[in-house]
Amino acid sequence: MKKSINNINIPPFKPSKILKNRHIQTLYASFFRKDFPLEYNIEEFTLSDGDFLDIYYTKDLLPDDAEAVCVIFHGLAGSYKSPYVQGISYELKQYGIAPVVMHYRSTSGRDNRYPQTYHSGKTDDTLEFLHELKSRYPDKKLFCTGYSLGANMLLKLLGELGKASFIDAAIAVSAPMNLETCANIMQKGFSRIYQEHLLKELRASLELKYQKHDMQKLIGLKKEDIKNLKTFWDFDEAYTAKIHGFSSAKEYYKQCSSKQFLHNITTPTLIIHAQDDPFMHPSVIPSQNEVSSSVTLDILPNGGHVGFINGSLLKPDYWLEKRIITYLSNSF
């Protein structure tokens, strides 16, 4: 039975003492949250350049039968399997909003056709799919929710669209709005563990490219040297920047950081961010005068990176998803 989106009771975000720890907030769902009973219809969406994106629609609530559609943009090395993607997908469909998971190139488990994949500021693929989705369902509300890398990409897109935006509402969670600062933070302390976990996935994906493309010619890196890419700076200098036409990792970070686009956003947008996010420095967080009047800032002292889990270890309450739903309810 569908829940009423206008009858949501959300408590304040006050996690227990143990759950306040930023690393527990960041890791808890990945280790302890159960998978959701979700089944998907999968579309191979063909891009104008001949490559493709894998789009996942929940079988029991497709856009045709929903009151609105929400496109979900996952984080670096994420997918439909990511706990935060499953959690919000399940919650959205309870309220009659069809969740649509847009995988970037190569993130669904299938390698894409070209040497290029995706990055934190690659908005053209997203815009192409969103235009198609809007043309299919012109009378449906169109929402977007982005997490981490996907949140940065979404905010950049909203700023680029400005007054031409056709998105009804958007939410950005734990966005690395200054990519250079975040790349530096990931080299320090416990954050290096997160960096290595993510880089392991990125290095493996890059190695696959050598089976189909002359990557050494394209980026000047031998396959056996991929193992030496130990930081995001290394990886983005060697691969991301070169293959996507940036002069350097620094230039990539400069052009694709979303913070500079926030003042141009006209779409009703909620930014949810924790001051203790271990992936970034608090200086990444924008002040009210750095965003447009269309942007609402939910800046919380705790929450980690894509965490925001209320309650206790034994009785967790996923506050983040309830906050997203309450924000979207304002658009009905």
Side-chain angles (χ1 to χ4, degrees), residues 112-117 206 209 213 215 218 239 243-244:
N112 67 310
R113 299 186 177 112
Y114 298 146
Q116 301 87 356
T117 53
L206 178 53
K209 293 293 179 190
H213 310 284
M215 297 303 295
L218 288 169
Y239 173 68
I243 206 68
H244 291 104

Side-chain angles (χ1 to χ4, degrees), residues 181-196:
T181 297
C182 296
N184 290 336
I185 287 293
M186 295 299 281
Q187 298 182 74
K188 300 177 181 178
F190 192 83
S191 296
R192 291 177 295 178
I193 305 298
Y194 299 123
Q195 177 176 242
E196 177 53 30

Side-chain angles (χ1 to χ4, degrees), residues 230-251:
K230 301 293 187 181
T231 68
F232 285 129
W233 276 100
D234 294 340
F235 188 88
D236 290 332
E237 187 73 34
Y239 173 68
T240 309
K242 286 184 180 178
I243 206 68
H244 291 104
F246 299 99
S247 62
S248 63
K250 190 176 184 68
E251 183 65 18

Side-chain angles (χ1 to χ4, degrees), residues 38-326:
L38 298 171
E39 295 184 349
Y40 299 94
N41 286 349
I42 304 172
E43 173 191 1
E44 182 181 293
F45 176 72
T46 302
L47 293 159
S48 57
D49 68 357
D51 212 342
F52 68 92
L53 307 176
D54 278 333
I55 313 297
Y56 279 47
Y57 303 87
T58 53
K59 281 186 176 181
D60 54 352
L61 185 60
L62 298 170
D64 285 318
D65 305 314
E67 297 179 18
V69 178
C70 184
V71 184
I72 301 166
F73 304 111
H74 58 78
L76 186 66
S79 73
Y80 75 99
K81 296 179 180 178
S82 300
Y84 56 87
V85 173
Q86 290 198 3
I88 192 58
S89 296
Y90 185 82
E91 195 73 17
L92 286 166
K93 71 184 187 68
Q94 305 306 307
Y95 291 93
I97 303 172
V100 177
V101 183
M102 194 201 89
H103 292 89
Y104 319 124
R105 304 186 194 212
S106 285
T107 60
S108 66
R110 297 199 301 153
D111 191 28
N112 67 310
R113 299 186 177 112
Y114 298 146
Q116 301 87 356
T117 53
Y118 70 103
H119 60 74
S120 296
K122 187 169 175 56
T123 56
D124 52 346
D125 290 354
T126 300
L127 184 58
E128 194 171 337
F129 174 66
L130 290 177
H131 272 305
E132 173 62 25
L133 199 63
K134 189 62 178 178
S135 70
R136 293 181 194 177
Y137 309 104
D139 298 325
K140 308 279 187 183
K141 292 280 187 180
L142 178 59
F143 305 136
C144 293
T145 300
Y147 297 85
S148 196
L149 174 147
N152 183 79
M153 182 275 296
L154 174 58
L155 291 171
K156 178 174 178 281
L157 173 62
L158 294 171
E160 290 170 343
L161 287 173
K163 294 179 181 179
S165 177
F166 52 94
I167 299 163
D168 293 291
I171 300 97
V173 181
S174 301
M177 290 172 274
N178 185 313
L179 296 171
E180 181 173 341
T181 297
C182 296
N184 290 336
I185 287 293
M186 295 299 281
Q187 298 182 74
K188 300 177 181 178
F190 192 83
S191 296
R192 291 177 295 178
I193 305 298
Y194 299 123
Q195 177 176 242
E196 177 53 30
H197 171 73
L198 294 168
L199 280 171
K200 184 178 179 180
E201 299 281 341
L202 295 176
R203 288 192 297 259
S205 180
L206 178 53
E207 285 181 356
L208 285 176
K209 293 293 179 190
Y210 283 74
Q211 297 177 13
K212 295 192 298 185
H213 310 284
D214 189 351
M215 297 303 295
Q216 185 172 340
K217 181 178 179 181
L218 288 169
I219 63 174
L221 183 73
K222 295 179 181 179
K223 184 178 180 181
E224 56 266 30
D225 291 333
I226 293 175
K227 64 181 183 297
N228 297 324
L229 305 178
K230 301 293 187 181
T231 68
F232 285 129
W233 276 100
D234 294 340
F235 188 88
D236 290 332
E237 187 73 34
Y239 173 68
T240 309
K242 286 184 180 178
I243 206 68
H244 291 104
F246 299 99
S247 62
S248 63
K250 190 176 184 68
E251 183 65 18
Y252 156 52
Y253 295 154
K254 180 180 178 180
Q255 289 190 26
C256 293
S257 295
S258 62
K259 196 172 186 180
Q260 62 195 308
F261 294 91
L262 301 179
H263 67 280
N264 202 38
I265 293 175
T266 62
T267 301
T269 300
L270 173 65
I271 294 177
I272 303 174
H273 205 97
Q275 293 173 330
D276 67 353
D277 191 321
F279 282 40
M280 51 199 88
H281 189 270
S283 64
V284 167
I285 301 170
S287 62
Q288 196 62 57
N289 62 11
E290 291 179 294
V291 304
S292 76
S293 59
S294 298
V295 177
T296 300
L297 297 174
D298 267 15
I299 310 302
L300 302 165
N302 308 111
H305 188 72
V306 192
F308 305 99
I309 304 167
N310 239 350
S312 64
L313 288 174
L314 296 179
K315 291 185 177 181
D317 176 44
Y318 290 87
W319 177 90
L320 176 60
E321 289 147 21
K322 293 181 174 65
R323 180 65 183 106
I324 290 171
I325 297 294
T326 58

